[in-house]
Structures are given as C-alpha cells and as structure tokens.
Amino acid sequence: MKRLLGVALGILTAIGGFVDIGDLVTNAVVGSRFGLSLVWVVAVGVLGICLFANMSGRVAAASGRATFEVIRERLGARAGLANLAASFLINLMTVTAEIGGVALALQLASSVYYLFWIPVAALAVWLVVWRVRFSIMENVTGLMGLTLVIFAVALFLLKPDWGSLAGQLTPAVPDQETVWTYSYYAIALFGAAMTPYEVFFFSSGAVEEGWTVKDLLQERINVLVGFPLGGLLSVSIAACAAVVLLPAGISVTSLSQVILPVAEGAGKIGLALVLVGIVAATFGAALETTLSSGYTLAQFFGWSWGKFRRPAQAARFHLSMIVCLLVGIAVLATGVDPVLVTEYSVVFSAIALPLTYLPILIVANDPQYMREHVNGPLVNVLGMVYLVIIVVASMAAIPLMIVTGAGA
C-alpha cells in the first residue's frame, strides 16, 4: 500500500510540476495565434521528455550518481564543459523567468506591482531550498500546481464548438500567419516541453531521495503517466486561448491574458484557483531551476552538493544558488518584461538541447555505469530519431528568430 501511494503521489506531482512559466506562456501565445494546429508539437515534446527523463532517472538509479557527474567523468572535461555552459546559461534564464512569473502572479492576486514581489519571491525560494526537505518541497508545490487543472474545467464551462475545435488539430498555417512564424513557435513549444533543467533536476532528485534499481518501476510510471497528463494540461491552456482569445484577435503579451479564459469560463472561483496554481507552478519551477543550477555546477566541479547536506557542508553548492537568484533579481530589476524573458528562454532551450541530450544517450548505453540497465534497442532508435529532431530544431531556432523578429 505504501508503494502504491508513493506511485500515486509521484504521478500527481509529475502532473502538477510539468507546467512552468514557459509552458503557460508559450501554450497560451500559440493558442491565441494558431489555435490547436501546433498541438502535435506538444505530443512530440512530451514523448521526448519522457524518453530522456526516464534515461536520466535510470542512470541515477543504476549508478547511484547524478547524470551530470557521470557525463563529466564519461565524456571528459571539454565535452562536459560545453554541456555545463549550455545547461547553466539556460537554467539561469529560466530561473529569472520563473521568479518573474511568481512576481507577476502575486501582482495579479494582490494588485501590488510585480517589481516589489521579485525580492520576496527570490528570498522565499532560497528559504525553501535551505530549510525544507526535498520530498516535501517537491510534493507540496507539485500537488498545489494541480489546481491548474482549472484550465481544463474552464474549457468545458466555456462550451466551445467541439467539432470546430477538433478541426484545428490538423497541422496548418493560419491565413494571418506565415510558415516562418509557425515554425518558430513550433520550436518554442518543443523547447518549453524539453527544457534541459527537467532532466538534470530529475536525476539529481533521484540521488537526493536515494533511488536504487528497485525504484525503477515507480520512476518509469511517474514519467510515463505523469508527464503525458501534464502535457494534456498544457494543451488545455492552448485550447482555452483558442476558444476565447483567438476569435477576439487577442495575442498574449501578459500573464493576465493567459488567465482571461479561465475568468470568463469559471468565474471568480476559477480565477482564484488559477492564481494559486500559477504561483505554485512557477514557484516550484523556480525551486527546481535554482537547484538545477547548483547541481550542474557542483557535479561538474566535484563539489559537495545536495539538499541533504547542510550549507556548511556544501558551501559552494549553496553559494552558487544564491548567486543565481541574485543575478535573476538584478536582471528583472532592470524592468525587462518577464514574459519576454520566458519567450526567449524556451527558444534558447531548444538551441541547447543537443548538448544536453546527446551525452545522456551516450551514458545510458554505457555498461560500466548502467550494467544490465542500458538502453534497449527501441529506446536507442527513438533516442536517435529525437537527436535528429533536436539538432534540426537547434539549428533552425536562431535563423527563425531573426526572420520572424522573435515571432512578432
């Protein structure tokens, strides 16, 4: 019974933790401009993150070490440094976006300008990272993030023309858009679904919680059930935007527009729930990205790391996270739009994907670390297919950003 409850909790946490500020904003933007014609990208992205998160968790469970530690040892310092640079810079952008997302959500809830909330949000992140147990931190934010299911509830309450909505699922470029903007937002959606921090956090979290090969079944269920359900939650955000914002010609540029369909469909109660969900989801993702930044640095340089260690026992690990939070505060204090930071972060995530996922595929096939738990033939075939997709998306991202003016 205890194991069954653990599986159920893991699935629910994975669902609630799947959606962060990148998924919220990108899916709402896409729904408001392209309807549901890019849902196929969400499906591709969810399958990809399931594939590589499962590999990453399996590496940690089989070797007893975090993925980044093994990558540094297996591929050497030079390849590991390229992986570190790409992952860390994307993490830093994402930390900034998530802190900004928390502040924007608190502004909507309190009418207090978001810049005042930024240091409060960053301080709260540090206090939780410092004082709260890993399992409590992960489960509480993930479960609270489940209130975002109000997007799916609001979709039904809006009573859309289901036939017309289903018709939007066909991949097609709308008349008012170009193939270039369509492709640009396809890459943005893909990057939002496969953000690098997710696999490094997942792997490091497995070590934090002491996973072994006995936990592989639970890990696989959490990933293969929780992430796809989180993907459906992402689709419901796009669908709400397609029903309310697309017909009105409203293109999402602020968080208030993201939640407008929920307010229209589910009223004040729905609005309250969606604000709780956004605060929880963005705060949870801020915790994960902050920790992921510390994890990657500490694991590459061989520092002592982990929430299970007191700051005095892992001083450089904890100091690096404080520095990341201070950098995020400094960037947001300039007045840069957190939504804009979010949009850029998911596109740059796509650029960094090859440097993140190729090393994971290599390590997951190394019997020295994996023993009998190396990838099977089907997983390797899927991994190679995804590497091709990832390389194409990475190479196309910058040219499409220039051509489209970042999707304008």
Side-chain angles (χ1 to χ4, degrees):
M1 178 60 72
K2 184 178 179 181
R3 181 171 291 274
L4 184 61
L5 288 174
V7 170
L9 184 60
I11 290 171
L12 292 174
T13 302
I15 297 169
F18 182 84
V19 178
D20 63 2
I21 190 67
D23 292 289
L24 278 164
V25 170
T26 309
N27 280 282
V29 169
V30 166
S32 71
R33 292 182 59 171
F34 301 91
L36 298 183
S37 64
L38 280 166
V39 164
W40 63 272
V41 179
V42 178
V44 172
V46 168
L47 179 57
I49 194 63
C50 286
L51 180 70
F52 284 98
N54 183 50
M55 280 189 217
S56 187
R58 185 155 35 85
V59 168
S63 67
R65 301 168 66 189
T67 304
F68 213 99
E69 287 183 304
V70 179
I71 288 173
R72 167 70 169 79
E73 183 175 286
R74 172 66 175 77
L75 301 184
R78 185 172 298 178
L81 184 61
N83 185 285
L84 172 68
S87 301
F88 182 76
L89 290 174
I90 297 304
N91 272 342
L92 198 54
M93 287 186 70
T94 312
V95 168
T96 304
E98 302 297 348
I99 294 293
V102 175
L104 289 175
L106 290 172
Q107 174 183 273
L108 291 175
S110 66
S111 298
V112 175
Y113 191 47
Y114 82 94
L115 283 177
F116 292 103
W117 285 114
I118 287 169
V120 176
L123 177 61
V125 168
W126 167 242
L127 288 174
V128 172
V129 167
W130 179 28
R131 302 296 298 178
V132 179
R133 286 174 53 192
F134 186 90
S135 58
I136 295 175
M137 176 199 81
E138 187 179 29
N139 291 333
V140 170
T141 54
L143 292 175
M144 288 183 67
L146 279 175
T147 55
L148 289 176
V149 77
I150 192 63
F151 276 102
V153 175
L155 180 61
F156 282 90
L157 293 176
L158 287 166
K159 299 178 180 178
D161 181 340
W162 294 104
S164 174
L165 202 60
Q168 295 180 19
L169 292 170
T170 303
V173 181
D175 293 337
Q176 70 275 18
E177 300 288 350
T178 68
V179 67
W180 307 116
T181 56
Y182 184 87
S183 301
Y184 175 79
Y185 279 105
I187 290 174
L189 268 184
F190 187 62
M194 295 195 65
T195 310
Y197 81 84
E198 294 177 334
V199 290
F200 291 125
F201 177 80
F202 193 68
S203 165
S204 301
V207 176
E208 293 265 24
E209 296 189 309
W211 285 6
T212 68
V213 291
K214 295 179 180 179
D215 299 297
L216 283 176
L217 178 60
Q218 179 176 338
E219 176 265 336
R220 191 173 296 117
I221 293 172
N222 290 352
V223 168
L224 299 182
V225 178
F227 282 3
L229 290 176
L232 289 176
L233 187 54
S234 295
V235 171
S236 71
I237 296 169
C240 282
V243 170
V244 174
L245 305 180
L246 179 60
I250 300 172
S251 183
V252 171
T253 57
S254 68
L255 197 59
S256 61
Q257 292 168 321
V258 174
I259 66 174
L260 182 60
V262 174
E264 184 171 325
K268 292 182 179 179
I269 294 177
L271 183 59
L273 288 173
V274 78
L275 288 175
V276 170
I278 291 175
V279 170
T282 52
F283 187 74
L287 293 171
E288 292 181 5
T289 50
T290 300
L291 279 164
S292 187
S293 297
Y295 288 147
T296 53
L297 284 173
Q299 290 163 14
F300 178 82
F301 290 110
W303 303 340
S304 179
W305 62 274
K307 273 182 59 57
F308 57 87
R309 291 190 170 97
R310 298 175 64 85
Q313 299 171 321
R316 287 174 290 190
F317 168 66
H318 283 273
L319 179 61
S320 66
M321 292 188 289
I322 293 174
V323 171
C324 288
L325 289 171
L326 290 175
V327 170
I329 292 173
V331 171
L332 293 167
T334 65
V336 64
D337 184 359
V339 172
L340 189 62
V341 174
T342 300
E343 292 179 352
Y344 277 107
S345 71
V346 295
V347 174
F348 280 101
S349 289
I351 296 171
L353 292 181
L355 291 172
T356 300
Y357 291 115
L358 174 59
I360 292 174
L361 183 62
I362 292 172
V363 169
N365 278 289
D366 191 332
Q368 178 182 345
Y369 300 98
M370 303 298 293
R371 299 188 297 278
E372 70 272 21
H373 300 288
V374 294
N375 286 349
L378 177 59
V379 172
N380 278 330
V381 169
L382 288 173
M384 293 304 297
V385 169
Y386 265 88
L387 281 180
V388 173
I389 297 172
I390 284 167
V391 169
V392 170
S394 176
M395 294 177 63
I398 292 297
L400 286 172
M401 180 181 286
I402 294 170
V403 169
T404 65

